[in-house]
Amino acid sequence: MTESLPELLTNIRNCTHCQEYLPQGCRPVIRARASARLLIIGQAPGTKVHASGIPWDDASGERLRRWLNLSNEVFYDESKVAIMPMGFCYPGKGKSGDLPPRRECAPLWHGPVLAQLPKVKLTLLVGSYAQQYYLPGRVKTLTERVQRWQEYGPAFIPLVHPSPRNQLWLKKNPWFESDIIPTVQKRVAELLPGC
């Protein structure tokens, strides 16, 4: 028997599968309801999100909400927007930023969660880890994938990660915010009318 979405989310939030590899312990972060029409798949929580338990509760989230033209209220309304990272827990610090998302999470949890989100019409793949998992082998670089975003529609739109660390990429690629973001905003507005 298939578990309900609330049961599945409880199981994910109680997951300790990778505990031995997580320096700050397990705190899986995910938000979803079966009625959600937009799904955001990012990388993994950072330290601030790990502390709060609220996805995208940081500078990256502020920029992402601006890009989507969504208020905090709508962005965090699980009945409209589902948020699922590639790695559900903070992976720890690396030499130049956070470590990559743990590889166990997506194969273990993504399929069951997606099966419980029948109304999702658009999935935003934020950053290279989500894109490599869901758009394998098509294009080698994040910049190419983002430039060729129309090839992945209408189900997916690949986005650069909104991290402040990507400020240089955004300056080098002004077409992203001038050409792609307005289209993303239009698609999101069509999915979530009145928001």
Side-chain angles (χ1 to χ4, degrees):
M1 182 172 167
T2 305
E3 57 194 342
S4 69
L5 182 57
E7 290 169 331
L8 178 59
L9 295 176
T10 297
N11 289 338
I12 291 170
R13 290 178 180 128
N14 291 327
C15 180
T16 58
H17 191 79
C18 304
Q19 186 167 347
E20 65 183 291
Y21 306 108
L22 301 172
Q24 293 191 23
C26 298
R27 186 166 194 188
V29 176
I30 183 171
R31 298 175 74 94
R33 284 205 192 141
S35 58
R37 295 175 55 81
L38 174 65
L39 172 62
I40 300 169
I41 301 180
Q43 296 185 162
T47 54
K48 188 171 181 188
V49 171
H50 178 81
S52 71
I54 301 169
W56 297 100
D57 182 28
D58 53 17
S60 297
E62 289 174 24
R63 178 178 275 161
L64 180 60
R65 287 185 287 281
R66 274 197 316 271
W67 283 351
L68 304 182
N69 197 29
L70 291 179
S71 66
N72 285 2
E73 180 183 8
V74 174
F75 185 83
Y76 288 115
D77 182 342
E78 296 176 23
S79 69
K80 296 175 181 167
V81 180
I83 301 172
M84 178 172 65
M86 291 302 296
F88 291 86
C89 297
Y90 172 62
K93 201 81 173 152
K95 290 180 182 174
S96 60
D98 294 339
L99 290 171
R102 294 293 313 167
R103 292 184 179 186
E104 297 88 343
C105 293
L108 187 62
W109 297 116
H110 278 212
V113 171
L114 292 172
Q116 296 285 343
L117 299 176
K119 297 193 175 183
V120 166
K121 300 296 182 200
L122 174 63
T123 300
L124 301 177
L125 300 172
V126 183
S128 61
Y129 296 107
Q131 292 165 20
Q132 288 167 359
Y133 190 82
Y134 282 95
L135 309 173
R138 292 188 183 184
V139 179
K140 297 202 185 285
T141 70
L142 176 136
T143 301
E144 285 180 283
R145 279 190 297 271
V146 173
Q147 283 176 322
R148 297 165 65 172
W149 65 273
Q150 291 172 310
E151 294 177 20
Y152 309 110
F156 297 108
I157 296 180
L159 300 177
V160 67
H161 197 283
S163 168
R165 296 173 70 95
N166 283 334
Q167 196 59 38
L168 182 59
W169 187 96
L170 291 168
K171 283 184 180 178
K172 286 182 177 179
N173 299 282
W175 50 266
F176 175 74
E177 289 187 308
S178 65
D179 300 344
I180 296 177
I181 290 302
T183 302
V184 171
Q185 290 177 349
K186 183 174 185 269
R187 287 283 312 278
V188 169
E190 289 168 356
L191 282 176
L192 309 175
C195 295

